[in-house]
């Protein structure tokens, strides 16, 4: 197979493997075509006021201040005297959009929806707002429009402030909440002079939604334990008190208003959210007003956490719910149909109503979830051959009828407790059944992908052995056998396609199931190579072969382990430190071996450090900038001594510009964080310099000479100037330590090459990347090249996890991008954070490119070994993906697979980028100089 076709096929195959996980684990749980279900009895409330304090942690609201006074006195008084309270448990990902969807629509959005944006609906869904007669909402332009857009008719009204107001660097983000409270007050006052609006507000089934973003914004900017965050909670408490009083006065204290205060997600101590840490998943829930239970006194209650004692709330019954349970609670209070896709279970203990109302509401809840089950089952039945269809036995058609009849009979006989209990059983079975049909094809699809994975990895190994080693002879292909093979696999493909067609499967199923066919055809075609290889391997020393295989397996397992425990990287780096001693390399290069050992030990410290962003340390960033400049001066001094290379000063100017850029970045970081500390926002000049540095860095890099060390040095300066702007602590020192090790690695590989007698040692000082690309005579692969490739993959993983666990969303610190922007922009911020992650990756890729060309290896041959190592890791994580256990476990397992697959695809792209950065040079007009020859 030609190289370009092979790379294209590789990219395609890996993209399919990556996307498959979203179809298998992340497909949308929503179904359509259900009938709305509504409790047939009059509701206790005519209207509902929903306060969502974005980013509010449960402990931050409930705990007492150091002097023993409540942080939110009004809300504390509510839960102690007139309302019910508890903790709402959210799910991963703990982001604003999925949190609000769970609260208001009652279902947990699939994770892929987060990537489709906050402001649009990737899927159509029903909500409490849609089922209400009128909903008025105030708050963020990132949240409100998605519920208005999804509503049928024109009855959901939104009032938003400008997106630019969401500024992490602003003087006080609490102004966002003041804006909401002020606009609600003026809205109610103006309605008195607007008869149409006044009569609409006095109607039943009305919802008023106040989205309060200040707490979240202050948490990101100043951390949840800051004075700003705590003061914002006090401000919200006062605002809720004022609005509740105003609404009661507006309706003449008619006792028909229900109030709910909760949050969409919490926040970690370092000011981020997205993962499954308890500080992110535990949110407060306080409910009071019409139809709501009063506080229930208890003598003892058991929860696994010790919060009750800390909060001094041991004697008030804590009623915990899942976040999606709040939607049926709201629907029940104001008497609207339960949202069609809701999977929430009505928390009856919050209701202060008759036993009949509770039983009827629970029955409505059960029927509404059963409707989803029936639609899901019929959809699956239609797309599966009747003799292959396996129904969910606990809820067969007869069982459903029995359940519904029994519940209705219990209600008629006024056996309400029995009816409620049976409803809960039916709900749990229906939810199990929904999950059963939602994951019906998972095993079948998973096996298809696994077969494709193994086939592709086998094929790559065969390509390496056939084209890049001397292990096999050139084998003549038998055309007759090839034709029979081709028709055999083509027939298998047609049978699979026909089987999928008669089941009307989605088009993606065709890709997953047909992909293994051409892949395995390519493998089987190489059977003569496999036979030849087996003969050669058997002639080798068996002990050595098994030993080599065991070392390879152990190395890959350490890499897999490092995804779960960063300290595994420390162990790996310490083993690397002993490499020159183990292989006797230190005898011929004592100084280099000593430096290698010291730098491995230095880099080994970083994975033991706390995850970046938790403790900002700007002096360390400034120190990293100054250290970069110091190294630059020494490097330039040594370059200037070499007169042969620098016959004019044009090249030196490029380095001075890059050093100036590093100095400027160091100043901007210091200046910006000082400005934000005194709440003066991001200085415009600093922002301009930051963006200009980001754009100019790659240009300056391409102006430098293409001699090996000079170009690598230029790459370090360019990347450091950007990396400093994105740093908040010790991670600013990481690229320096990494680059130092990469620099020594290139030198050590030269020593290894000479040690094994594979090639003469080239003079690295005069080695030119552009000349290296002209080499036509590459050597064949040696066993030591597997070790080189493993080093590269290990360094890539170290570049990723060295300063944090990027498999966890909450490892990202928004403060990293404050030199570029402070106004909330999820995709811009996400892009900059990904750039920060990619910079150490680029350093390693460029060093690997240098290793390839200086060891006279085709870049493709080493890269293919890297591909095999990455694919074996990916296969590990494919089987480690799970959809049970805690949400943290589920989210982590899926993110690991996505990460390692993205890594493989990314490495293909990086291979090309590294070649571009090392070989290309922008030509500028220069003064002509004549030299004596």
């Amino acid at each position: 197979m030609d190289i370009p076709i092979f790379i294209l096929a590789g990219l395609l195959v890996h993209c399919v493997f990556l996307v498959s996980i979203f179809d298998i684990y992340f497909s949308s749980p929503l179904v359509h075509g259900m009938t709305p279900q509504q409790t047939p009895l009059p509701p206790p409330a005519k209207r509902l006021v929903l306060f969502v304090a974005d980013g509010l942690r449960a402990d931050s609201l409930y705990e007492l201040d150091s002097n023993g006074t409540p942080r939110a006195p009004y809300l504390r008084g509510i839960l102690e005297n007139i309302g019910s309270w508890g903790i709402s448990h959210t799910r991963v990902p703990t982001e604003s959009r999925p949190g609000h969807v769970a609260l208001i629509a009652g279902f947990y959005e699939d994770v892929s929806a987060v990537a489709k944006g906050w402001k649009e609906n990737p899927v159509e869904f029903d909500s409490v707002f849609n089922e209400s007669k009128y909903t008025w909402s105030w708050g963020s332009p990132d949240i409100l429009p998605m519920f208005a857009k999804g509503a049928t008719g024109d009855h959901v009204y939104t009032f938003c402030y400008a997106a630019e107001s969401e500024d992490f660097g602003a003087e006080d983000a609490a102004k966002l909440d003041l804006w909401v409270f002020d606009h609600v007050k003026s809205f109610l006052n103006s309605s008195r002079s607007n008869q149409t609006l006044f009569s609409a507000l006095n109607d039943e089934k009305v919802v008023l939604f106040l989205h309060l973003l200040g707490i979240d914004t202050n948490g990101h900017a100043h951390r949840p334990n800051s004075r700003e965050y705590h003061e914002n909670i006090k401000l919200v408490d006062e605002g809720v008190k004022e609005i509740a009083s105003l609404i009661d006065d507006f309706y003449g204290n008619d006792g028909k208003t229900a109030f709910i205060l909760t949050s969409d997600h919490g926040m970690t101590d370092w000011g981020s959210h997205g993962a499954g840490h308890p500080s992110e998943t535990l949110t407060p829930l306080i409910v009071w007003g019409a139809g709501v239970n009063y506080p229930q006194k208890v003598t003892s209650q058991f929860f696994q956490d010790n919060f009750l004692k800390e909060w001094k709330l041991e004697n008030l019954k804590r009623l915990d719910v899942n976040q999606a349970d709040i939607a049926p609670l709201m629907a029940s209070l104001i008497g609207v149909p339960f949202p069609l896709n809701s999977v929430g279970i009505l928390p009856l203990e919050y209701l202060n109503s008759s036993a009949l109302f509770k039983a009827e509401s629970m029955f409505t809840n059960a029927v509404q979830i059963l409707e989803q089950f029936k639609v899901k089952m019929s959809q699956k039945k239609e797309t599966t051959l009747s003799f292959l269809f396996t129904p969910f036995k606990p809820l067969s058609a007869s069982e459903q009828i029995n359940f519904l009849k029994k519940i209705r009979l219990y209600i008629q006989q006024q056996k309400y407790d029995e009816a409620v209990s049976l409803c809960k059983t039916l709900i749990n079975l229906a939810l199990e059944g929904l999950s059963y049909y939602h994951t019906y094809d998972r095993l079948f699809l998973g096996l298809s992908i696994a077969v494709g994975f193994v086939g592709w990895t086998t094929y790559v190994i065969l390509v390496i052995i056939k084209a890049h080693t001397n292990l096999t002879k050139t084998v003549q292909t038998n055309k007759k056998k090839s034709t029979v093979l081709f028709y055999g696999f083509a027939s298998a493909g047609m049978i699979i396609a026909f089987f999928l067609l008669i089941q009307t499967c989605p088009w993606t199923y065709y890709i997953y199931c047909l992909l293994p066919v051409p892949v395995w055809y390519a493998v089987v075609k190489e059977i003569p190579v496999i036979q030849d290889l087996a003969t050669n391997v058997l002639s080798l020393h068996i002990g050595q072969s098994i030993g080599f295989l065991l070392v390879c397996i152990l190395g890959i397992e350490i890499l897999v382990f490092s995804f779960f425990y960063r300290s595994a990287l420390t162990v790996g780096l310490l083993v690397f430190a002993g490499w020159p001693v183990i292989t006797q390399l230190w005898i011929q290069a004592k100084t280099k071996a000593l430096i290698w050992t010291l730098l491995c030990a230095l880099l080994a410290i970083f994975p033991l450090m706390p995850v970046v962003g938790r403790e900002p340390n700007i002096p360390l960033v400034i120190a990293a900038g100054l250290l970069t400049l110091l190294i630059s001066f020494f490097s330039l001094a040594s370059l200037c001594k070499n007169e042969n290379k620098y016959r004019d000063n044009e090249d030196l100017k490029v380095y001075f510009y890059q050093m100036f850029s590093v100095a400027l970045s160091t100043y901007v970081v210091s200046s910006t964080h000082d400005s934000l500390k005194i709440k003066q926002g991001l200085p415009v000049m600093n922002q301009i310099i930051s963006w200009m540095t980001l754009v100019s860095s790659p240009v300056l890099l391409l102006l430098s000479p293409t001699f090996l060390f000079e170009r690598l040095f230029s790459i370090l300066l360019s990347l450091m100037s950007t990396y400093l702007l994105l740093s908040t602590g010790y991670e600013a020192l990481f690229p320096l330590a990494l680059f130092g090790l990469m620099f020594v690695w290139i030198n050590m590989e030269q020593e290894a090459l000479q040690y094994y007698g594979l090639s003469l040692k080239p003079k690295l000082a005069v080695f030119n990347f552009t000349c290296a690309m002209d080499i036509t005579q590459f050597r064949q692969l040696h066993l030591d090249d597997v070790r080189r490739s493993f080093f590269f993959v290990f360094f890539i993983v170290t570049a990723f996890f060295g300063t944090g666990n990027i498999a966890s969303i909450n490892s990202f610190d928004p403060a990293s991008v404050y030199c570029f922007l402070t106004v909330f922009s999820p995709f811009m911020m996400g892009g900059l954070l990904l750039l920060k992650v990619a910079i150490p990756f680029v350093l390693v890729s460029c060093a690997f490119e240098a290793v390839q060309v200086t060891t006279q290896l085709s870049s493709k041959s080493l890269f293919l070994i890297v591909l095999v190592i990455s694919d074996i890791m990916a296969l590990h994580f494919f089987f480690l993906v799970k959809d049970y256990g805690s949400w943290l476990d589920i989210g982590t397992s899926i993110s690991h697979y996505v990460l390692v697959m993205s890594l493989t695809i990314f490495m293909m792209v990086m291979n090309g980028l590294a070649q571009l950065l090392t070989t290309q040079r922008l030509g500028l007009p220069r003064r002509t100089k004549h030299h004596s020859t």
Side-chain angles (χ1 to χ4, degrees), residues 214-284:
I215 292 173
D216 183 71
T217 310
N218 268 322
H220 284 308
H222 307 289
R223 310 288 189 265
N225 294 317
S226 64
R227 179 180 54 82
E228 289 85 356
Y229 188 86
H230 292 162
E231 283 181 0
N232 205 151
I233 293 173
K234 285 193 171 91
L235 182 140
V236 164
D237 181 64
E238 288 160 11
V240 168
K241 178 183 180 181
E242 197 176 350
I243 295 297
S245 173
L246 197 68
I247 286 170
D248 284 339
D249 290 345
F250 184 85
Y251 289 106
N253 292 300
D254 64 353
K256 288 289 179 182
T257 309
F259 298 91
I260 293 179
L261 180 132
T262 187
S263 175
D264 54 347
H265 56 75
M267 189 172 282
T268 60
D269 288 341
W270 52 96
S272 62
H273 52 83
H277 191 273
S279 61
E280 298 164 270
T281 59
L282 303 183
T283 59

Side-chain angles (χ1 to χ4, degrees), residues 173-447:
K175 66 181 181 185
L176 300 175
D177 299 341
L178 287 172
W179 185 98
V180 171
F181 293 135
D182 290 344
H183 277 71
V184 173
K185 283 184 256 181
S186 61
F187 171 79
L188 291 173
N189 289 332
S190 64
S191 69
R192 297 180 194 276
S193 56
N194 183 333
Q195 191 53 47
T196 311
L197 180 59
F198 189 77
S199 58
L201 276 166
N202 279 280
D203 218 325
E204 57 184 19
K205 299 176 183 176
V206 165
V207 177
L208 302 176
F209 170 42
L210 285 74
H211 176 243
L212 307 165
L213 188 63
I215 292 173
D216 183 71
T217 310
N218 268 322
H220 284 308
H222 307 289
R223 310 288 189 265
N225 294 317
S226 64
R227 179 180 54 82
E228 289 85 356
Y229 188 86
H230 292 162
E231 283 181 0
N232 205 151
I233 293 173
K234 285 193 171 91
L235 182 140
V236 164
D237 181 64
E238 288 160 11
V240 168
K241 178 183 180 181
E242 197 176 350
I243 295 297
S245 173
L246 197 68
I247 286 170
D248 284 339
D249 290 345
F250 184 85
Y251 289 106
N253 292 300
D254 64 353
K256 288 289 179 182
T257 309
F259 298 91
I260 293 179
L261 180 132
T262 187
S263 175
D264 54 347
H265 56 75
M267 189 172 282
T268 60
D269 288 341
W270 52 96
S272 62
H273 52 83
H277 191 273
S279 61
E280 298 164 270
T281 59
L282 303 183
T283 59
L285 174 64
I286 301 175
V287 190
W288 71 101
V292 180
N293 243 339
Y294 288 102
Q296 298 169 57
K297 302 282 184 185
V298 288
T299 50
S300 65
Q301 48 185 331
F302 175 74
F303 287 92
Q304 285 185 328
D305 53 58
N306 296 315
F307 290 137
L308 289 170
K309 201 171 181 182
E310 288 175 30
W311 300 338
K312 303 283 190 289
L313 290 169
E314 307 100 310
N315 300 324
L316 288 174
K317 192 167 186 183
R318 171 177 147 186
L319 308 170
D320 282 16
V321 300
N322 289 320
Q323 195 172 43
D325 300 343
I326 296 171
L329 175 62
M330 293 193 288
S332 184
L333 285 169
I334 57 171
V336 299
F338 287 30
L340 293 173
N341 298 110
S342 170
V343 292
I345 303 171
L346 178 64
L348 291 177
E349 287 182 292
Y350 275 89
L351 295 177
N352 180 20
S353 46
S354 66
L356 172 63
F357 182 84
K358 288 181 180 179
E360 284 288 2
S361 297
M362 209 67 201
F363 182 58
T364 305
N365 195 179
V367 172
Q368 169 259 325
I369 292 175
L370 185 64
E371 280 286 309
Q372 292 181 72
F373 167 80
K374 284 154 82 172
V375 170
K376 195 83 172 175
M377 184 181 72
S378 63
Q379 281 181 359
K380 192 47 67 186
K381 206 170 184 179
E382 284 168 17
T383 59
T384 311
L385 294 172
S386 54
F387 67 91
L388 289 174
F389 181 71
T390 313
F392 182 68
K393 286 172 185 165
L395 264 188
S396 60
S398 57
E399 281 293 321
Q400 292 174 39
I401 293 164
N402 284 343
F403 265 111
L404 297 174
K405 276 183 177 174
K406 250 185 201 175
I407 295 166
R408 185 44 66 197
L409 186 65
Y410 278 144
I411 291 172
Q412 285 169 359
Q413 293 173 349
Q414 297 185 3
K415 294 180 179 176
Y416 301 125
D417 289 342
E418 288 89 338
V420 166
S421 177
L422 206 55
C423 283
K424 286 180 179 176
T425 306
L426 177 56
I427 286 171
N428 289 327
L429 282 174
L431 290 173
E432 271 181 50
L434 268 173
S435 176
Y436 172 80
Y437 287 120
H438 184 57
T439 59
Y440 192 82
D441 295 326
R442 187 169 289 179
L443 180 65
F444 161 64
L445 291 175
L447 283 173

Side-chain angles (χ1 to χ4, degrees), residues 15-25 449 512 878 897:
C15 284
V16 170
F17 291 157
L18 176 58
V19 172
S20 69
I21 205 75
F22 292 98
D23 245 354
I24 297 170
Y25 290 94
I449 293 297
Y512 306 145
F878 183 80
Y897 175 74

Side-chain angles (χ1 to χ4, degrees), residues 805-869:
N805 178 12
I806 73 152
S808 172
I809 306 169
N810 74 13
S811 283
F812 290 132
D813 179 17
S816 297
V817 300
Y818 286 173
C819 288
F820 292 91
L821 74 163
T822 53
V823 175
F824 180 65
S825 173
F827 293 105
M828 183 71 78
M829 287 178 162
L832 287 167
L833 288 167
L834 285 176
L835 174 67
K836 180 182 178 180
V837 167
I839 284 172
F841 194 9
V842 175
L843 281 175
V844 176
S845 296
C846 291
F848 188 56
E849 181 67 19
V851 167
Q852 287 175 45
V853 295
T854 56
T855 53
Q856 293 176 323
L857 268 175
S858 157
S859 60
K860 304 298 175 290
S861 57
L862 272 188
F863 184 71
L864 288 176
I865 302 173
V866 168
L867 205 59
V868 170
I869 295 168

Side-chain angles (χ1 to χ4, degrees), residues 83-128:
S84 292
W85 76 284
I87 286 176
S88 164
H89 295 263
T90 71
R91 284 193 184 180
V92 172
T94 45
E95 297 289 350
S96 290
R97 182 198 162 90
H100 280 88
V101 168
L103 279 172
I104 297 159
F107 72 90
Y108 301 105
E109 206 167 23
D110 58 298
V111 180
S112 57
V114 180
K116 294 173 184 174
W118 274 248
K119 297 183 184 180
E120 57 181 73
N121 289 340
V123 284
E124 289 297 319
F125 61 83
D126 191 22
S127 69
V128 172

